[in-house]
Amino acid sequence: MSKNYYEVLGVDKSASKDEIKKAFRKMAHKYHPDKGGGDETRFKEASEAYSILSDDKKRAEYDAYGRVFSDTSAGGSQGGGFGGFDFSDFVRQSGFGGGEGVEFDIGDLFGEFFGGGGRSRTKRGRDISMDVELSFEEAIFGVTRKILLNKVSACDICGGSGAKNPQDMKTCSLCNGKGKIHETRRSIMGSFSTVKPCETCMGRGKVPKDICGNCAGRGVLRKQEEVSIKIPVGIDTGEMIRLSGAGEAVAGGVSGDLYVKIHVGKHPLYRKEGNNIVTDLNVKLTSAILGDEYTLKTLEENTITIKIPAGIGFGEILRVKGKGVPTDSGRRGDLLIRVNIDLPKKLSKEARKTIETLKREGI
């Protein structure tokens, strides 16, 4: 019984070429025998299915008759590829380049199997993470913090070029100014071309005629550097701020990033709920019954007067508009005051008689 190539790749019979290619890529990454946990049999099946379904003529024959008459490699009987699949044909169809020979640059698809790939990647410095403690007020209103980091940074003298005179450079003799080295390695699938940055010029294509004395020609060195961090308004504990390019530098590449994790201290009176600031206010029983006025100090250290309406109940909320958390739109949330009523633990005889009178009146 002939194989169902569509089922092998997990696609519908109406799948487009791009869908078929994507399905094969996924299976190739998963089952390639050079990877840990790979499956050579499944990889061969996927290769065979792709070799048929990616070719318009072979696919038409397969759809019509359940087999391919023009194919001489299906099933692994002939052909120059792994499992009977001509990978050079796949490279041409995929747009990776390559000709009739077996040597091609397939790094875009299988680069991770061989520790690199066909395309040169820009080197990137190490990311740095750190924790910053903020007071409650700083988190609410925002603040700019300056911190001192000990990290690998670009040389201040040569600007990262490694040259005594950044304008006085010469062509790298190892890569002939290309900044990359082309290597060819053989495997069970043929010869694979890989490209990596030139280690002599760090991918720049040029080297200094005279090296910088400050960094010994490396272009980078470890030093203390002050970084300014702008803390946005209303930030919460656990939030992360990313400063692109503020991490460690690397010769011939780009700097990593700095990640700042925020920790907000507690306030003795206030807490944050969304864009609002919440606090509790304890009032006397008589104030709750008859009404009263209380003073409250805000986060800005201003004193405001809070009017307690007569007959207010336990847990009711009083709102002071515009005294909450600032927002990017320029508006502010509100200050929410939760009223707690202090009940007396001891009563004088006169006070007790008064309350008993109120009780008899149903109050």
Side-chain angles (χ1 to χ4, degrees):
M1 183 177 180
S2 60
K3 296 179 181 178
N4 187 327
Y5 291 132
Y6 293 103
E7 289 186 359
V8 170
L9 294 181
V11 297
D12 295 330
K13 193 172 181 179
S14 59
S16 65
K17 273 191 171 183
D18 285 341
E19 290 172 331
I20 290 171
K21 184 191 299 183
K22 187 179 294 184
F24 173 66
R25 281 173 177 262
K26 184 177 179 180
M27 293 191 69
H29 277 283
K30 184 176 181 180
Y31 295 116
H32 193 282
D34 285 354
K35 289 189 69 175
D39 189 324
E40 182 174 346
T41 301
R42 296 290 299 275
F43 183 78
K44 285 182 177 180
E45 289 178 350
S47 301
E48 180 182 333
Y50 182 78
S51 69
I52 300 301
L53 301 183
S54 62
D55 185 286
D56 291 337
K57 182 180 178 182
K58 294 176 183 178
R59 183 177 181 180
E61 292 177 0
Y62 173 73
D63 289 344
Y65 306 107
R67 60 170 295 184
V68 177
F69 299 96
S70 60
D71 182 46
T72 60
S73 62
S77 59
Q78 295 183 39
F82 189 87
F85 175 38
D86 183 358
F87 274 92
S88 62
D89 181 58
F90 171 75
V91 172
R92 290 192 296 274
Q93 293 179 39
S94 301
F96 293 143
E100 297 297 330
V102 295
E103 183 175 327
F104 54 88
D105 185 349
I106 197 170
D108 188 52
L109 178 61
F110 297 122
E112 67 182 60
F113 302 145
F114 301 99
R119 296 182 180 180
S120 175
R121 292 190 176 94
T122 302
K123 289 197 298 183
R124 188 174 182 276
R126 188 173 65 92
D127 291 337
I128 301 174
S129 62
M130 63 175 301
D131 295 78
V132 168
E133 300 280 346
L134 299 177
S135 68
F136 187 82
E137 291 85 349
E138 289 174 330
I140 294 297
F141 299 115
V143 69
T144 298
R145 279 286 186 87
K146 292 184 178 181
I147 57 174
L148 199 61
L149 294 177
N150 185 7
K151 66 186 183 78
V152 177
S153 304
C155 176
D156 294 329
I157 304 300
C158 66
S161 67
K164 184 177 181 180
N165 181 1
Q167 307 300 323
D168 196 9
M169 306 286 285
K170 62 182 180 179
T171 301
C172 176
S173 59
L174 183 61
C175 66
N176 294 320
K178 295 181 179 179
K180 54 188 178 181
I181 302 296
H182 186 94
E183 292 183 344
T184 300
R185 286 180 284 181
R186 296 188 177 277
S187 74
I188 58 174
M189 293 169 57
S191 297
F192 290 85
S193 297
T194 60
V195 179
K196 66 177 184 178
C198 175
E199 295 180 358
T200 299
C201 65
M202 303 298 179
R204 292 185 289 245
K206 293 183 178 296
V207 294
K209 289 185 178 180
D210 297 304
I211 65 173
C212 171
N214 188 48
C215 64
R218 292 187 295 269
V220 295
L221 71 167
R222 182 169 291 277
K223 63 176 182 176
Q224 285 191 332
E225 183 175 332
E226 188 178 73
V227 177
S228 181
I229 305 173
K230 186 177 181 180
I231 309 295
V233 296
I235 198 165
D236 290 316
T237 289
E239 289 195 58
M240 193 81 74
I241 298 174
R242 173 175 170 263
L243 278 71
S244 180
E248 292 200 331
V250 62
V254 297
S255 297
D257 299 333
L258 172 62
Y259 292 88
V260 181
K261 188 174 183 179
I262 298 299
H263 300 271
V264 181
K266 291 184 178 181
H267 193 277
L269 296 178
Y270 295 104
R271 59 189 179 274
K272 179 176 176 289
E273 292 183 4
N275 289 333
N276 297 322
I277 296 174
V278 182
T279 188
D280 295 301
L281 179 62
N282 294 335
V283 301
K284 295 183 294 185
L285 177 61
T286 53
S287 298
I289 295 174
L290 303 175
D292 206 343
E293 290 186 352
Y294 282 76
T295 58
L296 188 66
K297 185 173 289 186
T298 66
L299 290 176
E300 297 97 321
E301 296 297 325
N302 297 325
T303 300
I304 58 175
T305 300
I306 306 298
K307 291 185 178 181
I308 308 298
I312 194 169
F314 182 89
E316 288 194 41
I317 302 294
L318 301 177
R319 184 184 300 268
V320 181
K321 292 186 176 182
K323 291 296 183 180
V325 182
T327 63
D328 294 335
S329 64
R331 297 181 179 180
R332 290 183 62 173
D334 299 332
L335 170 61
L336 305 181
I337 303 168
R338 193 185 312 273
V339 175
N340 298 322
I341 301 175
D342 288 335
L343 298 177
K345 295 181 179 179
K346 293 183 178 181
L347 293 173
S348 65
K349 290 183 179 181
E350 184 177 349
R352 188 175 184 86
K353 288 180 180 180
T354 302
I355 293 176
E356 288 175 348
T357 301
L358 294 174
K359 182 180 179 180
R360 285 194 298 269
E361 294 179 359
I363 297 176

